[in-house]
Amino acid sequence: MKTKVNELDVCVVNRVNASALYVHWSFSDAIQEMVEKMYQKKWNDLAFALCIYDVTGLSVTFDGHQSKRHTLLEVYSNQTEAFLKDMDTNCTYVVDVGVYEHHFFALIRSSRVQLGTSIEPKQLDQTKWSWSENAPQTDYVHDDCFSTYSYYTNEWNKVNQSDE
């Protein structure tokens, strides 16, 4: 059975470069309903924010209270992503997404992400490449309908069953 996006509660933070982060989040229908009942407002009528914590050097499990510093960034109720630019380098961050109605109420937390002084791609020494003229050996039974990304078929009943 496939999990649908509206069934997930997730907050992911990725490093873009030495001073920028990309944050993506989603909330399940169940969380949205719970928050609507708590605040007695529709989801789209609530104010939301990201709380960005600097947890550099903290070795304990972060619980939202012992950060070195934090800041709030207001976001829209229908927003699901944000780029955080001009972040301090050599810092470790955690991001909470939550409701911001008179005070901040965290709904979901990301894992830690560390920014370095610079993130440069590794330089590859091309003299180490060992090229082969022969195609790699495969064990695929259906080579004519397989790709590394997708499986192609005209059997619609199998496609419909996989979506159930």
Side-chain angles (χ1 to χ4, degrees):
M1 186 167 114
K2 271 187 170 176
T3 302
K4 297 176 182 160
V5 173
N6 60 345
E7 296 172 353
L8 294 177
D9 298 308
V10 65
C11 179
V12 178
V13 179
N14 291 310
R15 179 178 41 227
V16 175
N17 58 36
S19 64
L21 298 171
Y22 170 73
V23 185
H24 175 78
W25 63 91
S26 69
F27 293 104
S28 65
D29 292 341
I31 291 292
Q32 290 183 31
E33 288 173 22
M34 178 197 73
V35 170
E36 287 178 344
K37 286 178 184 176
M38 271 177 50
Y39 286 94
Q40 297 181 353
K41 287 185 178 181
K42 291 290 184 190
W43 183 265
N44 290 333
D45 295 335
L46 290 164
F48 290 87
L50 303 180
C51 189
I52 304 143
Y53 302 96
D54 179 353
V55 297
T56 306
L58 296 177
S59 59
V60 297
T61 302
F62 179 67
D63 65 7
H65 298 290
Q66 72 276 35
S67 67
K68 290 183 162 194
R69 58 191 176 146
H70 71 277
T71 187
L72 288 170
L73 172 67
E74 291 186 51
V75 294
Y76 298 106
S77 60
N78 61 349
Q79 191 171 343
T80 60
E81 62 185 4
F83 281 97
L84 308 177
K85 298 178 183 178
D86 301 321
M87 305 292 290
D88 290 339
T89 59
N90 286 328
C91 290
T92 303
Y93 296 98
V94 170
V95 177
D96 281 351
V97 182
V99 178
Y100 188 50
E101 296 276 326
H102 308 294
H103 66 280
F104 182 73
F105 179 74
L107 297 173
I108 196 161
R109 176 168 292 148
S110 76
S111 57
R112 295 174 187 235
V113 64
Q114 183 174 0
L115 293 178
T117 52
S118 65
I119 300 170
E120 297 294 328
K122 291 183 179 180
Q123 296 299 318
L124 299 176
D125 182 2
Q126 290 187 352
T127 61
K128 293 181 183 177
W129 291 99
S130 176
W131 296 100
S132 174
E133 298 292 326
N134 300 327
Q137 295 296 316
T138 64
D139 293 328
Y140 303 129
V141 176
H142 300 288
D143 282 328
D144 60 332
C145 59
F146 184 81
S147 156
T148 56
Y149 300 103
S150 303
Y151 181 80
Y152 301 99
T153 182
N154 287 330
E155 299 177 52
W156 289 105
N157 59 338
K158 288 183 180 179
V159 173
N160 291 334
Q161 288 174 353
S162 70
D163 288 339
E164 293 175 353

